[in-house]
Amino acid sequence: MEGGGLIAVGSHCSLSEMDDLDLTRALDKPRLKIERKRSFDERSMSELSTGYSRHDGIYDSPRGRSVLDTPLSSARNSFEPHPMMAEAWEALRRSMVFFRGQPVGTLAAVDNTTDEVLNYDQVFVRDFVPSALAFLMNGEPDIVKHFLLKTLQLQGWEKRVDRFKLGEGVMPASFKVLHDPIRETDNIVADFGESAIGRVAPVDSGFWWIILLRAYTKSTGDLTLSETPECQKGMKLILSLCLAEGFDTFPTLLCADGCSMIDRRMGVYGYPIEIQALFFMALRSALSMLKPDGDGRECIEKIVKRLHALSFHMRNYFWLDHQNLNDIYRFKTEEYSHTAVNKFNVMPDSIPEWVFDFMPLRGGYFVGNVGPAHMDFRWFALGNCVSILSSLATPDQSMAIMDLLEHRWAELVGEMPLKICYPCLEGHEWRIVTGCDPKNTRWSYHNGGSWPVLLWQLTAACVKTGRPQIARRAVDLIESRLHRDCWPEYYDGKLGRYVGKQARKYQTWSIAGYLVAKMLLEDPSHIGMISLEEDKLMKPVIKRSASWPQL
C-alpha cells in the first residue's frame, strides 16, 4: 500500500452530519422478529428467477447473535483461549478509527517502529473485512454497520482521474479520517484509485462491500440495513458496472493489473481468478438481499443469467487437475469454428515445467487466468479459497483443492501460512512481467510471499469442507511466530521463514485474520456469515469436447 494525494471533502459536503443523522435514524428502528424460512443458500436460483420469492432466512435474537447461536467471544467458551487472543484483541481495538464519535473502521497498520506512514494510516475496504468479521463474531456489529454506511456515502462522490470520470458504482479503495482539534470537526478523504500504484480502480472493493453486507445481515438478523433504498441502490450501482453488455464473449470480468489485493503489476491482467471468485460470491450475496421491485427485478434476472454462465465457464475452463493437464498437453492448435477442442488456442508449449511435478494425481485448483492464447498456471490462494466459500467450486472440486493443499503443504504453506501465489516469478520472467519491481522480488510480497491474513480464508474453506485439521495445523504455525514477530504484514522466502523486507509490523488484517480463524475453529457455526451452499439446480448440462472431462 502506497500513495497519497487523496480527495478531501469538508463536513459541509456529502458526508454532512444531516445526511448521517437521517440515514442513522432510519436504521435505528426496532428490529423485526422473523420466522425461520428456507435460506437462499438452501434454494435454487431457478426459483428466484421465476417467482422472485425473496428469502431473508435470517432472524434476530435477543442478544444480536447470529442465526447459528454464535458465542460472543472465545473467552466465553468452555476452554481456555490461547494467550495470543487477548493481545490480538487489544491490538485490533487500538487500530479502530472514529468519525464524529462513531467507529467506522480499522487502520491498515499501527506500526510505531517506523516514521514512514505512507497510506497505512487509512481504512482500506478489503483490509477491513477480517476486522469486521472478528467484530461480528464477537457480537459487536456497530462498527461494521457504520463502515458500510460510510463507504456507501463515499460511493456517491464524483470520482475522477485526471479528466476521466469513473463509474458511479465504484467503491473507494480506502479512506482517511482527518481530525481538526481546533475546530473540533472531522473530515474524510478518500482514494478511488487515483492515488494507487498504476492509478487502478479497486475492482474488489465493491464485491467485498456486498459480501460484508450479507455477513452483517446473517450475523445480526438486522434486515433494515440491507433493505434501505440507499443499500439497494448501492448494490445495483456496483453490479451495473459488471453486468452491462459490451464486447465480451466470456462471462468473466476483464480487469487491469493491480485492481485487487495484488495491487502492483504481477501479470494478472485479463481474467484473474481472485476477481472472478469475488464477483461470483458478490452476485450470489446480492441475490439474497435485492428486492424484486422496480429495477430490482431486472437486476435479479441479469444476476441469475450471469451466475449460470459464470459457473459453467469457471468450472470447465479454469479448472486444472491431472487429467485436464494431460489433455492440454496434447492439445492441437489453430483450430477454427465451433467444433474447436482447444477453444482458447492455448499453446501446449506454454505449459511451464514446474506444473507437471506440482500437480498430484489427486487434487486440483482453479488456475490464475484464462484468456485468448493464455493460461496462467499459477496457484492463487485467495481465488481458490473464495471459490470454495462461494460454492463456485463444486463439492468435488472443493475437496480436490484441499487435497492439493495437503499434498503440497511445503510449497503452499511452508513455515508460515499462506503463499499468496505459487510459484514466484524470477529472472527474465520477473523483469518482463513485473517491470523489474523491487518490492515484488522472488518469494517476496505479492510474488510468492506468505501472508498471515490469508489464514482466515484458509480456515473458512477448511471448516466448510469438513477438514478443520488442516486449519489447526496452519494456526499452530501462526501461533509459533506471529506474536513474536510483532504481527507483520507478510513473510519472505520460499518457506516463509523471514519477516518481509518491507513488511509493516502490527498489520491489522494479520491480527484480525488470526482472530477470525480462531473463532471459526472454536465455533464452526460462524461459517454461515461467509459461506454460501451450492445451488443444486445451478448445474447446466455440460456438452463439451472430448478433451475436457465431464464435471
Side-chain angles (χ1 to χ4, degrees):
M1 303 172 184
E2 300 172 9
L6 306 178
I7 300 174
V9 170
S11 60
H12 63 280
C13 293
S14 60
L15 291 181
S16 66
E17 293 183 14
M18 185 62 68
D19 290 342
D20 291 344
L21 189 60
D22 290 344
L23 192 51
T24 303
R25 283 175 178 170
L27 293 168
D28 284 338
K29 297 177 183 177
R31 296 177 182 173
L32 302 175
K33 271 292 194 190
I34 299 175
E35 293 182 3
R36 178 65 175 167
K37 302 177 182 178
R38 278 195 305 162
S39 72
F40 167 75
D41 302 343
E42 297 163 347
R43 300 173 61 190
S44 72
M45 285 180 291
S46 301
E47 290 179 76
L48 284 163
S49 62
T50 55
Y52 301 107
S53 54
R54 181 171 164 271
H55 131 270
D56 297 313
I58 308 163
Y59 60 88
D60 196 13
S61 64
R63 299 174 66 186
R65 293 160 68 179
S66 74
V67 302
L68 297 169
D69 198 32
T70 301
L72 292 180
S73 76
S74 62
R76 301 175 195 178
N77 285 325
S78 58
F79 52 87
E80 192 70 23
H82 193 280
M84 275 177 60
M85 292 284 285
E87 180 174 336
W89 274 113
E90 182 181 344
L92 182 61
R93 296 191 192 285
R94 281 200 304 268
S95 71
M96 292 173 65
V97 175
F98 292 82
F99 179 76
R100 296 173 186 165
Q102 293 181 331
V104 293
T106 52
L107 297 175
V110 185
D111 187 355
N112 297 321
T113 65
T114 178
D115 295 328
E116 192 178 20
V117 177
L118 297 177
N119 58 358
Y120 286 83
D121 61 346
Q122 297 176 29
V123 179
F124 280 78
V125 172
R126 74 175 68 94
D127 291 42
F128 180 66
V129 171
S131 297
L133 294 176
F135 284 120
L136 288 174
M137 292 177 184
N138 203 47
E140 302 177 55
D142 287 349
I143 185 173
V144 183
K145 177 171 144 181
H146 297 320
F147 169 85
L148 290 167
L149 291 175
K150 200 58 58 184
T151 47
L152 184 62
Q153 291 172 332
L154 295 175
Q155 183 194 43
W157 288 9
E158 182 177 280
K159 304 167 275 282
R160 290 183 178 273
V161 177
D162 294 331
R163 298 184 180 182
F164 183 73
K165 183 178 178 181
L166 277 68
E168 187 179 1
V170 174
M171 280 286 186
S174 63
F175 65 87
K176 182 177 181 179
V177 176
L178 301 176
H179 301 282
D180 187 334
I182 298 177
R183 297 182 181 179
E184 297 184 348
T185 59
D186 289 344
N187 294 325
I188 279 186
V189 292
D191 175 21
F192 293 91
E194 72 278 5
S195 302
I197 300 297
R199 305 300 185 263
V200 180
V203 176
D204 63 337
S205 286
F207 299 153
W208 279 124
W209 187 89
I210 293 175
I211 293 166
L212 187 56
L213 178 61
R214 176 187 174 273
Y216 170 87
T217 308
K218 291 282 285 186
S219 174
T220 65
D222 180 10
L223 302 175
T224 59
L225 180 60
S226 64
E227 290 183 345
T228 59
E230 293 82 3
C231 282
Q232 291 286 309
K233 180 182 178 182
M235 285 188 283
K236 293 170 190 173
L237 286 175
I238 293 168
L239 296 178
S240 67
L241 296 173
C242 313
L243 298 175
E245 296 178 350
F247 293 99
D248 298 307
T249 55
F250 313 133
T252 42
L253 285 182
L254 181 62
C255 303
D257 242 334
C259 67
S260 58
M261 178 181 177
I262 298 179
D263 58 2
R264 301 169 74 91
R265 183 176 164 191
M266 269 292 294
V268 297
Y269 59 87
Y271 305 92
I273 179 60
E274 175 178 336
I275 291 299
Q276 313 315 320
L278 287 172
F279 180 34
F280 185 86
M281 191 166 189
L283 287 174
R284 292 200 64 192
S285 298
L287 192 57
S288 68
M289 297 183 289
L290 284 172
K291 295 180 179 180
D293 53 4
D295 56 354
R297 181 180 295 269
E298 181 182 357
C299 188
I300 289 172
E301 288 179 346
K302 290 181 178 179
I303 290 174
V304 171
K305 291 178 181 177
R306 190 61 164 266
L307 282 170
H308 279 284
L310 185 59
S311 62
F312 177 88
H313 185 92
M314 297 297 297
R315 291 171 180 177
N316 286 269
Y317 301 120
F318 273 68
W319 182 251
L320 189 71
D321 56 22
H322 180 268
Q323 182 59 54
N324 283 10
L325 179 59
N326 204 161
D327 292 337
I328 297 170
Y329 176 69
R330 291 167 53 84
F331 266 170
K332 295 180 180 179
T333 60
E334 309 302 327
E335 295 179 295
Y336 294 91
S337 83
H338 65 279
T339 61
V341 173
N342 185 358
K343 293 182 181 292
F344 295 92
N345 200 33
V346 174
M347 306 297 169
D349 287 344
S350 70
I351 302 175
E353 288 295 326
W354 65 264
V355 78
F356 291 105
D357 294 327
F358 178 76
M359 181 62 71
L361 291 176
R362 282 185 54 213
Y365 64 102
F366 289 102
V367 297
N369 216 314
V370 176
H374 173 58
M375 182 173 284
D376 183 349
F377 289 88
R378 284 178 294 174
W379 177 90
F380 289 85
L382 193 154
N384 277 275
C385 288
V386 173
S387 294
I388 292 174
L389 295 176
S390 65
S391 288
L392 172 59
T394 66
D396 287 344
Q397 288 174 336
S398 296
M399 296 306 290
I401 293 171
M402 303 310 296
D403 287 340
L404 176 78
L405 191 67
E406 284 194 303
H407 280 294
R408 296 291 174 241
W409 184 266
E411 292 88 345
L412 303 180
V413 180
E415 297 180 12
M416 177 55 63
L418 179 65
K419 287 293 179 194
I420 190 171
C421 68
Y422 181 89
C424 71
L425 303 172
E426 51 188 331
H428 180 69
E429 187 179 25
W430 167 79
R431 288 190 289 272
I432 296 299
V433 174
T434 73
C436 300
D437 188 349
K439 194 167 185 178
N440 274 331
T441 53
R442 66 175 190 162
W443 305 117
S444 180
Y445 202 51
H446 296 143
N447 188 16
S450 299
W451 291 70
V453 65
L454 295 172
L455 176 68
W456 81 261
Q457 293 165 22
L458 170 63
T459 302
C462 291
V463 169
K464 183 175 180 181
T465 55
R467 303 186 50 186
Q469 72 280 1
I470 298 177
R472 290 193 185 97
R473 187 179 173 190
V475 168
D476 288 344
L477 289 173
I478 286 281
E479 290 179 338
S480 69
R481 290 202 55 190
L482 202 61
H483 167 264
R484 185 184 70 197
D485 294 336
C486 301
W487 310 93
E489 179 183 10
Y490 64 96
Y491 286 77
D492 285 353
K494 199 167 186 178
L495 296 175
R497 183 174 293 171
Y498 304 97
V499 174
K501 58 185 175 182
Q502 296 186 42
R504 293 299 164 123
K505 301 294 183 70
Y506 294 98
Q507 184 79 13
T508 302
W509 68 357
S510 296
I511 297 165
Y514 167 70
L515 288 171
V516 172
K518 288 289 287 186
M519 287 189 280
L520 278 169
L521 288 175
E522 291 167 6
D523 183 1
S525 66
H526 285 306
I527 194 66
M529 287 186 212
I530 49 175
S531 173
L532 291 152
E533 293 306 312
E534 184 185 27
D535 189 317
K536 302 300 182 183
L537 297 183
M538 196 177 63
K539 289 184 176 180
V541 177
I542 299 175
K543 298 179 180 179
R544 297 292 308 278
S545 299
S547 71
W548 292 81
Q550 301 293 306
L551 301 180

